[in-house]
Structure formats: C-alpha cells, structure tokens
Amino acid sequence: MTVTRFAPSPTGFLHIGGARTALFSWLYAKGRGGRFLLRIEDTDRERSTEAAVDAIFEGMAWLGLAGDNPEPIYQTQRLGRYAEVIARMLAQGTAYHCYASKQELDQLRAEQQARKEKPRYDGRWRPEAGKILPAPPQGVKPVVRFKSPDEGRVVLKDLIKGEIVFDARELDDLIIARSDGTPTYNFCVVVDDMDMGITHVIRGDDHVNNTPRQIQILQALGAAPPAYAHVSMILGGDGAKLSKRHGALGVMEYRTMGFMPEAMLNYLVRLGWSHGDQELFTRQEMIEKFDFDHVSASPARFDMEKAYWVNHQYLKVTDPALIAPEFEWHLRRIGVDPDNGPALIAVIEQQRERCRTLAEMADKSRFFYEELSGYNDRDAARHLTPKSAPVLAALIETLGTSDWQPEALHDAVHGVAETLGLKLGDVAQPIRVAVAGMAVSPPIDHTLALLGRVRALARLQAAALKAGS
Ligand code: GLU
C-alpha cells in the first residue's frame, strides 16, 4: 500500500510551498488507495511553537487535507524510540562514539579549508578493523556518529529529478545523537519514515542533499528505502525566490483574500504539475490524474493573476450551497450579520459573475445586510440629482403596488422608463445608488427582490429626498 506523509517543522504558518507539498503527498496517496500521514517535526525546540502547530493544522483543515492517522505523530514524543535505535546501532557497530571536542573539529575544519578541501569529519574515532583508537578522554560526553559506508555509491532514483548518484566517499560520518543524547534531524526522519512504513517521501528539493545519508542509515537499519520525489521550489513571477513581496505566503492569508479552498488546491496543483492543457480540476479529478511523470523538475512560477482567475472560475460554477459557509465567514469577518438579510445562496448566485474573490463579494454585498452608511460621492452626484427625483418618485409609486419578484420588478422598472421616455440606464442607475449606495450592483430586478420590499422602498424614499433637495 502507498503510504505518504507530510512532515512540517512547526516554525511558522503553512505557506504556499508547504501546502503544495502536502497536496502532492495527499493526492499521490489518495489516487492509489493509500494513506497520507501527518508528522510534526518538532525536535528543534528553540524554533518550534505550539502556535505554529495550530496554524499548520488550521491551514490543512481549511484545504481539506486531513491526515489518515487519527493523531499526528510528534517527534518529541518519540525520543525513547530514537534512543532505542541508537543503542541498537551502537551495539551492531553501525554507529560509534566520537569524543572529538569542538576545538579539535574547528581546527580540523580550518586545516581543510586552508588546503582548499571540503570540510568533513576525518573519522578519527571511527572504529576500523586493526585500528587502535585512543582511550576516551575523561569527563567528555561523546556524540554518536553514523558509521557510513566509505565506498560505493548511493543512487537516488528521484521520481521528479531522475537519477542522482552520490559518491559514498563524499558522505562523512553524520552525528546522529548530540552529546546530551538528543537525536539529530536526519536521524529522526529516517526512524520515523521506517516506523511509519512510508513508501513515498515527497518533499521540497532543499532536502535532496539529506537523502543519500538517509538512504544509508535506512540500509544500515535493514529497512528498504522509500521512493523519493523532490519537488522544485516556487519562484515569484519575476523569477526571484518567492517572498512576501510577491503576495501573501501563508495559506490562511489566501482565505482572507477571498479564495475558495478548492480553487486554492487547483491553483497549487498546477504549480509544477500538468495534465495536457487542462487548467481546472475537481478534487476527484486531481486525485485520479496526479502523477509524478508530469511534475516539472524546474521551479514553478507563482502568478497571482492566474490564482484570481482560477478562483473566479470556481466561484462561477461551484454549487452556491458549498460556497455559502465560506461566504458567511467573510461577511462576519467584516462585521456583517449574515442573518440580517437575504439568503446567502441567492446573493452568491447574483454576485458570482462579477466577483473574483469572496472578500470582494462580501464587500459588495454589505448593502443587503446593513443600512447604508451613505452614498458613494461620485455616484450620488451623478445619479441622485434633481433630474432623478421624479424618476425615483415614479418608481416608488409603481413599485409600491408591484409584486416583489424579479420578473414583476423587471417589468415595473421598464414600465417607468417607458412612461418617462427614458433609457433604462437613466432609471436603473438612480435605483442602484439609492439601494446599494453605489452605481454597481447585480441586475436591478434581482437586487430589489433580494433586498425585500420594505428595505428597498425605504431606501428609494431616502434617495428621492436627497435627489430633490
Ligand atoms: N520538516 C521538513 C521541512 O519542513 C520536511 C522533512 C521531510 O519531509 O523529510 O522542511
């Protein structure tokens, strides 16, 4: 069975790159009837925070990327297990104690640099057949090093990058436990991947250079290494490393900006993966079609305009009932009470053609739920003039007796235009400013229908007063 994992270090929120890695892992598992597991790599206690763990869960939950393990795995809860594996490796001779002091190692590095060599541990405490090691110095707590094979090659058959070959002589003996006994990063990853039965490690390509060591340690433990897929980084539209100035980086910021989670997934999956020239995918289609053969080995470019486009496509076609909870979140965020006005679904149906984001939709729909705080100055100056006063008066009269349904309202508005010999716009725009406070709104018949008779007429009356004054 395919088992993948997402293993964030909780040092900040869930950012775009992490979310894409999580999505790829999730899709790969789901598309193969496999499992997707969550692991929190929190052994770096200086940098890991509870708040970051929560922020990562929040982002994952919003995107609908749940782990299949009932509880995520926390590395800090597995210290006993790591100690056990280290003890086993020491006993088997695949790891050894190293007593070299910091000063000695600094000196070694300085000498190597002076000779223009790559700094590496020289194996001074590495046990070898026939080699006599010095007596351990008194009072020094040793680190534990992995005794890495010093000949041969490590072949990484990366599912995205292709084959990468490392010369074993390049890989020195990695510290797997510090002198205080705490295990190091690469070692924990290896033990976890082994214990969790991970078949496919999918992660950012900043980890490529960790991989040969991880493979060697797995082999030393008698475990078959998983397959690896190292995903290229995401660049900004200008080709520079993605940073804050290219737009929001945290997934939840995209929520605030008004993205639908499904649209976000769709946008993220296309950052590096393609399926012919198809741009829009349902979650199910992504699951069915995602593979690593079509993930690019070169960096993806972030394109905010495209993200907006994808979001708009989703807003236009998604069942409004599925949009409604997210829309409600946006209304509440800007202090609008969604219960104080028309059904959200009906508003979404009218607004979605004209809004690229839910934040925009919420802002443009305020007037359905709140009393107007005033009129847009420019629009009022244009449309609430003495000339429009009789138009508004005629409307109030006609609408007063109209059935309050879009069709009847449509006929009533057209009737007034005809009677007064005006173009439809000359009637519709004053109505818009009157009821919405601005000259943009959904079609006027629907806008009036959604607002309801009482609210609409009261606003028309207030506007008629202003226009006549
Ligand atoms: N914790 C690592 C990170 O957040 C990921 C390690 C891995 O996936 O192996 O970059």
Side-chain angles (χ1 to χ4, degrees):
M1 180 161 72
T2 302
V3 185
T4 66
R5 83 309 194 266
F6 178 51
S9 305
T11 55
F13 46 64
L14 180 64
H15 57 81
I16 290 293
R20 182 190 56 163
T21 305
L23 174 63
F24 283 6
S25 296
W26 185 85
L27 289 173
Y28 195 76
K30 297 292 142 180
R32 284 152 193 81
R35 304 184 73 216
F36 167 72
L37 307 179
L38 201 54
R39 173 168 94 218
I40 301 295
E41 303 207 320
D42 56 351
T43 44
D44 182 347
R45 297 207 184 177
E46 296 277 289
R47 297 178 62 226
S48 304
T49 66
E50 192 86 23
V53 173
D54 292 343
I56 291 166
F57 289 158
E58 188 188 22
M60 296 287 283
W62 182 65
L63 291 171
L65 301 178
D68 292 316
N69 35 352
E71 284 295 326
I73 291 189
Y74 289 82
Q75 288 187 327
T76 45
Q77 292 174 4
R78 287 175 46 78
L79 297 174
R81 170 64 180 153
Y82 304 137
E84 181 188 309
V85 177
I86 287 168
R88 191 173 105 202
M89 290 175 74
L90 284 168
Q92 289 173 341
T94 51
Y96 62 91
H97 285 125
C98 167
Y99 295 86
S101 67
K102 182 167 177 324
Q103 290 83 333
E104 275 180 77
L105 294 175
D106 285 347
Q107 195 190 343
L108 173 66
R109 179 172 309 120
E111 287 165 9
Q112 287 168 333
Q113 277 165 342
R115 291 196 298 267
K116 303 240 176 322
E117 288 169 17
K118 206 168 126 191
R120 68 199 309 281
Y121 176 67
D122 62 357
R124 57 184 65 181
W125 287 94
R126 180 180 164 110
E128 305 279 8
K131 174 174 165 187
I132 296 167
L133 293 172
Q138 285 294 307
V140 175
K141 283 198 165 169
V143 300
V144 178
R145 286 186 187 267
F146 171 55
K147 189 179 177 194
S148 68
D150 56 0
E151 48 191 44
R153 308 176 319 158
V154 181
V155 180
L156 162 60
K157 292 201 172 95
D158 194 88
L159 296 177
I160 297 173
K161 296 189 176 292
E163 191 171 282
I164 306 175
V165 180
F166 300 85
D167 185 338
R169 281 169 305 190
E170 292 290 312
L171 305 166
D172 62 0
D173 289 354
L174 185 77
I175 296 177
I176 58 176
R178 302 179 188 91
S179 54
D180 64 2
T182 55
T184 57
Y185 171 74
N186 275 294
F187 179 73
C188 298
V189 169
V190 162
V191 177
D192 293 343
D193 285 340
M194 176 177 79
D195 288 354
M196 291 163 76
I198 302 300
T199 60
H200 293 75
V201 166
I202 297 150
R203 60 186 173 200
D205 68 358
D206 46 332
H207 290 283
V208 166
N209 287 329
N210 289 330
T211 309
R213 297 179 187 285
Q214 294 184 4
I215 291 175
Q216 283 186 328
I217 299 174
L218 281 166
Q219 285 167 338
L221 292 171
Y228 292 89
H230 286 96
V231 185
S232 297
M233 64 197 306
I234 302 175
L235 302 179
D238 55 3
K241 192 170 182 294
L242 194 63
S243 72
K244 204 77 189 141
R245 79 192 151 82
H246 293 105
L249 292 181
V251 164
M252 297 314 281
E253 288 177 70
Y254 285 84
R255 182 182 204 193
T256 309
M257 287 159 73
F259 282 83
M260 291 275 294
E262 300 286 323
M264 202 65 214
L265 291 182
N266 193 146
Y267 179 70
L268 288 174
V269 82
R270 287 282 294 107
L271 281 176
W273 176 71
S274 61
H275 184 78
D277 51 16
Q278 186 172 346
E279 285 294 353
L280 301 172
F281 301 84
T282 61
R283 191 182 281 255
Q284 195 51 40
E285 275 179 306
M286 288 184 219
I287 292 174
E288 280 160 21
K289 295 178 174 169
F290 181 80
D291 61 1
F292 285 112
D293 298 343
H294 298 93
V295 172
S296 169
S298 39
R301 290 226 181 178
F302 197 83
D303 177 351
M304 204 60 216
E305 272 310 303
K306 184 165 170 203
Y308 280 125
W309 178 82
V310 171
N311 198 52
H312 196 197
Q313 303 313 306
Y314 267 80
L315 287 178
K316 285 200 275 192
V317 302
T318 305
D319 178 353
L322 299 177
I323 302 177
E326 200 63 18
F327 181 44
E328 176 175 345
W329 183 87
H330 281 276
L331 288 172
R332 292 196 192 280
R333 203 183 97 78
I334 58 171
V336 172
D337 176 4
D339 297 324
N340 186 36
L344 299 182
I345 290 176
V347 174
I348 293 166
E349 273 167 353
Q350 292 308 317
Q351 292 283 37
R352 58 179 165 177
E353 272 299 324
R354 70 197 65 245
C355 299
R356 293 201 300 176
T357 68
L358 287 168
E360 185 185 347
M361 193 184 288
D363 187 48
K364 289 188 171 163
S365 303
R366 261 181 194 280
F367 72 92
F368 285 119
Y369 301 90
E370 281 180 344
E371 293 318 315
L372 295 185
S373 57
Y375 302 105
N376 173 291
D377 287 341
R378 216 190 42 181
D379 293 343
R382 256 180 92 184
H383 300 293
L384 300 186
T385 60
K387 221 180 88 197
S388 46
V391 180
L392 290 166
L395 275 164
I396 291 164
E397 198 180 321
T398 312
L399 293 178
T401 56
S402 171
D403 183 17
W404 212 264
Q405 294 299 326
E407 212 169 296
L409 291 164
H410 172 94
D411 293 346
V413 172
H414 278 254
V416 169
E418 230 162 84
T419 315
L420 299 180
L422 293 172
K423 289 195 299 251
L424 186 63
D426 293 334
V427 179
Q429 291 305 73
I431 304 181
R432 283 210 163 85
V433 181
V435 303
M438 57 193 166
V440 278
S441 81
I444 201 65
D445 44 357
H446 286 280
T447 302
L448 291 169
L450 287 173
L451 259 182
R453 183 191 296 274
V454 175
R455 237 178 198 161
L457 285 175
R459 289 186 194 180
L460 285 168
Q461 261 143 7
L465 274 179
K466 181 172 168 73
S469 63

